[in-house]
Amino acid sequence: MLGMGIGESKPAASLFVVATPIGNLEDMSHRAVRVLSEVDLVAAEDTRRTRVLFDHYGISTPLIALHEHNELALAPQLVQQLCSGSSLALVSDAGTPLLSDPGYRLLNLAIAAGIQVLSIPGASALTAALSIAGLPTDRFVFEGFLPAKTAARKASLERLRQEQRTLVFFESSHRVLASLGAMAEVFGQNRPAAVCRELTKRYETTLRGGLGSLHAAVLANTDQQKGEFVIVVDGAAQDMDVSMATAMEMALALQEFLSGSQAARVAARLCDVDRRALYRLLPDKGSE
């Protein structure tokens, strides 16, 4: 068995949130293997997928399934075991748990019960994609999966249209084309982006370019429509500060009821920006 770290002892009465490989089984830390080998029980999103990992590393710890359909009922039982002195590890199908994965209820019940919660860091599709996308990483926002329905998806993207931080999305093979198309429509055909597919796996690819060209490339190649995706999109151009951007959105909404000059005056006062500068930015000033 792998040795323990300095100052560490056999896990007891703790919940370990353990990152596992997102594809390549070699991306597993020594500490993660040790913890998974020594805890009393491992709660896994899909025990069949986790069993493959366990067999690879010779881990024999008992597994229990914890997923979106049973977490509400099972989480209190697992916390009761923790309170009785058992140690438990939480893993997802791949990567770092709780990033668009089950486990949130279990985690918070454990925290509320005073159980020690420890992170065993490792692979994450989110950070892996950011590291190779070729886009700014000093500030970013993770949006997870977009809504499945067309109208809801577009509405979510519209809310992010002026977001200046780099945007990161997860997407499935069933919706990647629809999401890329909607992004190109809302953010613009030329907004820089990267489509990272099957990260660390055999058929890993990363496409970079404008959203319009990326949508066309994925549409033209059925192989690029298979697998799991992380889409990284450049933030909105910083051609106006946040206050002016907010004032612009407000003035555009007010123009439904007021003239352009009146809308600019009200929005400028509320957002504390220059009224004349705001008025010049309005695309349609209506009849004055």
Side-chain angles (χ1 to χ4, degrees):
M1 182 177 293
L2 297 169
M4 296 181 183
I6 297 175
E8 294 188 21
S9 58
K10 188 179 186 302
S14 298
L15 172 62
F16 295 85
V17 181
V18 183
T20 56
I22 58 176
N24 193 317
L25 292 181
E26 294 179 3
D27 295 334
M28 186 76 169
S29 75
H30 287 211
R31 185 185 180 205
V33 173
R34 177 181 63 78
V35 168
L36 292 176
S37 299
E38 295 181 346
V39 293
D40 297 305
L41 183 66
V42 174
E45 185 178 1
D46 186 333
T47 57
R48 296 166 300 180
R49 294 187 64 168
T50 303
R51 178 57 62 192
V52 174
L53 177 69
F54 276 26
D55 289 345
H56 183 82
Y57 283 101
I59 300 171
S60 58
T61 306
L63 286 165
I64 188 171
L66 179 77
H67 45 72
E68 60 179 331
H69 303 297
N70 73 349
E71 184 177 3
L72 184 65
L74 184 58
Q77 300 175 36
L78 294 176
V79 171
Q80 187 174 19
Q81 292 185 41
L82 285 165
C83 291
S84 298
S86 297
S87 57
L88 173 68
L90 172 69
V91 300
S92 60
D93 282 353
T96 302
L98 279 85
L99 297 183
S100 296
D101 291 321
Y104 180 80
R105 181 171 178 80
L106 170 63
L107 177 72
N108 280 275
L109 285 177
I111 292 171
I115 298 297
Q116 178 177 236
V117 178
L118 298 171
S119 170
I120 311 299
S124 167
L126 167 63
T127 53
L130 278 167
S131 71
I132 62 173
L135 296 169
T137 58
D138 54 331
R139 297 173 65 242
F140 65 88
V141 56
F142 174 57
E143 287 293 318
F145 288 91
L146 286 168
K149 294 186 177 180
T150 302
R153 181 190 303 121
K154 185 175 181 181
S156 293
L157 293 172
E158 287 285 359
R159 287 193 290 270
L160 296 168
R161 188 167 54 87
Q162 297 296 336
E163 174 59 64
Q164 295 181 359
R165 293 172 293 181
T166 296
L167 301 163
V168 187
F169 304 89
F170 284 169
E171 198 46 274
S172 67
S173 57
H174 306 293
R175 298 200 296 264
V176 64
L177 273 174
S179 289
L180 283 172
M183 289 176 188
E185 179 185 350
V186 175
F187 297 150
Q189 300 287 319
N190 297 320
R191 176 82 73 92
V195 178
C196 304
R197 182 179 74 93
E198 292 290 89
L199 287 168
T200 79
K201 300 175 185 175
R202 181 179 180 183
Y203 297 108
E204 174 180 352
T205 58
T206 297
L207 304 178
R208 302 176 182 86
L211 282 168
S213 63
L214 289 174
H215 179 255
V218 175
L219 178 62
N221 186 345
T222 55
D223 286 340
Q224 292 296 328
Q225 300 170 29
K226 301 174 182 177
E228 298 175 321
F229 298 82
V230 184
I231 302 173
V232 186
V233 183
D234 198 8
Q238 299 182 18
D239 54 356
M240 62 176 72
D241 63 27
V242 175
S243 295
M244 185 62 80
T246 301
M248 171 70 82
E249 292 186 10
M250 185 180 297
L252 290 172
L254 287 170
Q255 276 189 288
E256 183 178 347
F257 310 99
L258 304 172
S259 68
S261 60
Q262 291 173 320
R265 183 178 294 107
V266 173
R269 179 175 297 177
L270 292 174
C271 298
D272 193 24
V273 300
D274 184 82
R275 176 180 61 81
R276 294 182 180 85
L278 176 59
Y279 180 71
R280 288 195 297 269
L281 290 172
L282 292 179
D284 180 12
K285 300 174 177 60
S287 58
E288 299 296 321

